[in-house]
Amino acid sequence: MVTPIALRPVLAAAGCLTALLGLSGAAWAADCITPDQVKTGLHVEYQSGAGVEVRLLPNGLIELRELDRAEGGGDLRYLSRFGVYDLEASLAADGDNATEHRVIYDYGGLPLPEPASGGTAWVGPVTVRFPDGQTEAQTAAYVFGSDQSVDLGGCSYDAVTVDATFLRTNGWEGQKFLFFPDLGFATLVGRSGPDQDKTDFPITAMRPVQG
């Protein structure tokens, strides 16, 4: 069986994300990230030195690239709704038509709501399809928590916490996200599980992708 690409495995190994930026309703400061910059791409840097590029695609999905984190080098590429619900994972070098290394996450056609504060939740099935054709049935639960303010680089951003739990036949895994409603995407900020200590992933910088 091909080794699965788990939901965001590399950021856990890389070690660090804490708060990506969801901009508050105040006027956009000159050096603060704007929604238009998400379309052209953002580089997110973490305390560990790991980096992720985030981009809003024309089809409304979020593309996340974990830089230099693929086995043997190269980037891992995720397509996600809101940066919370991963739809597929692949090697970035394979391009848009990746098949050999692509993992698909199927939510059974159920609507995937935008995270919003207030303690609501989404619970449903996820079928993971691996490149060799094998599948794994999971149950996912996403709990949307409270609003908070994230200060970074002199800018204050609104964010909503999202606590996700994935129940599998051989155990479970917890992941924590921050969703930034004004920017329209989330980033992983923590991980937990029965075989690992709870780990937080602090962010240190975010800037537009150059070139």
Side-chain angles (χ1 to χ4, degrees), residues 7-30:
L7 296 172
R8 311 290 175 80
V10 174
L11 289 180
C16 288
L17 288 109
T18 219
L20 209 146
L21 321 171
L23 203 8
S24 70
W28 302 93

Side-chain angles (χ1 to χ4, degrees), residues 29 31 36 51 59 73 90-91 96 108 113 117 144 148 161 165 185:
D31 294 329
D36 284 344
N59 61 7
S90 63
L91 298 179
D96 291 335
S117 62
F144 309 138
Q148 58 183 268
T161 59
T165 302
F185 74 95

